[in-house]
Amino acid sequence: MKRKNPLMNHSFSTNHNAIPFLDIQEEDYIPAIKKAILEAQKSIDQITLSQNTDFNSVIEALEFSFEKVEMISGLFSNLIGAESDDSFKERACEFLPMVSVFLSKVYTNSDLFNKIKQVYEQSQGIQDKEDRIMEKE
């Protein structure tokens, strides 16, 4: 029976949805980040292709679009400092550039920028909480 990669789950079956560190193996990170990046890119494409320019359809959707990428990359990055294993460091040479390229594409996506700009320009009638978020970005 093939073992399931715990990082590919949308949530963990642990108390308080805690990360199951004991179930995660070194070889789980690369396939999990690849899948998370693909899913995030699909979500971002949906945002940019949508005709909607309201706060929830753009800003909130973007906020949740790469949550899994952030969780997996955060977990991996924190372990780099704790792992002295050469094998783990080799995986970092593959893992970290993938995340970096993905985030660079997100931050330089002109279609996405234009969507965010449209939301900002329409923000006169936006609620207070949403207003503060728009000003901080």
Side-chain angles (χ1 to χ4, degrees):
M1 184 170 153
K2 188 175 177 183
R3 182 185 152 280
K4 288 188 176 183
N5 183 337
L7 292 172
M8 290 197 190
N9 296 332
H10 288 288
S11 63
F12 303 117
S13 57
T14 56
N15 288 342
H16 309 291
N17 200 31
I19 298 169
F21 290 101
L22 296 176
D23 297 339
I24 300 170
Q25 296 178 2
E26 190 177 303
E27 61 270 8
D28 292 337
Y29 290 97
I30 302 293
I33 198 66
K34 285 180 179 179
K35 181 181 179 193
I37 287 171
L38 284 174
E39 290 173 356
Q41 189 57 59
K42 285 180 188 175
S43 295
I44 291 167
D45 290 345
Q46 287 177 340
I47 294 168
T48 59
L49 295 173
S50 170
Q51 297 300 312
N52 296 328
T53 57
D54 61 278
F55 184 88
N56 292 341
S57 299
V58 179
I59 306 301
E60 191 171 295
L62 179 60
E63 180 71 22
F64 293 113
S65 67
F66 51 98
E67 248 183 347
K68 195 73 169 178
V69 172
E70 290 175 330
M71 186 278 296
I72 295 168
S73 64
L75 177 59
F76 186 88
S77 296
N78 285 321
L79 290 176
I80 289 172
E83 292 286 333
S84 58
D85 180 297
D86 287 339
S87 173
F88 197 83
K89 289 177 183 175
E90 283 178 31
R91 289 182 201 280
C93 290
E94 181 180 0
F95 183 96
L96 294 174
M98 276 192 286
V99 175
S100 183
V101 167
F102 167 72
L103 292 175
S104 291
K105 286 180 181 178
V106 171
Y107 298 141
T108 60
N109 183 326
S110 60
D111 293 333
L112 184 59
F113 175 81
N114 289 330
K115 281 282 189 173
I116 294 168
K117 184 178 175 186
Q118 286 177 312
V119 173
Y120 181 78
E121 289 171 350
Q122 297 170 12
S123 67
Q124 277 66 30
I126 226 167
Q127 296 174 358
D128 289 339
K129 178 181 118 182
E130 294 170 349
D131 232 352
R132 288 192 303 271
I133 291 171
M134 291 303 296
E135 290 301 321
K136 288 181 182 179
E137 301 296 319

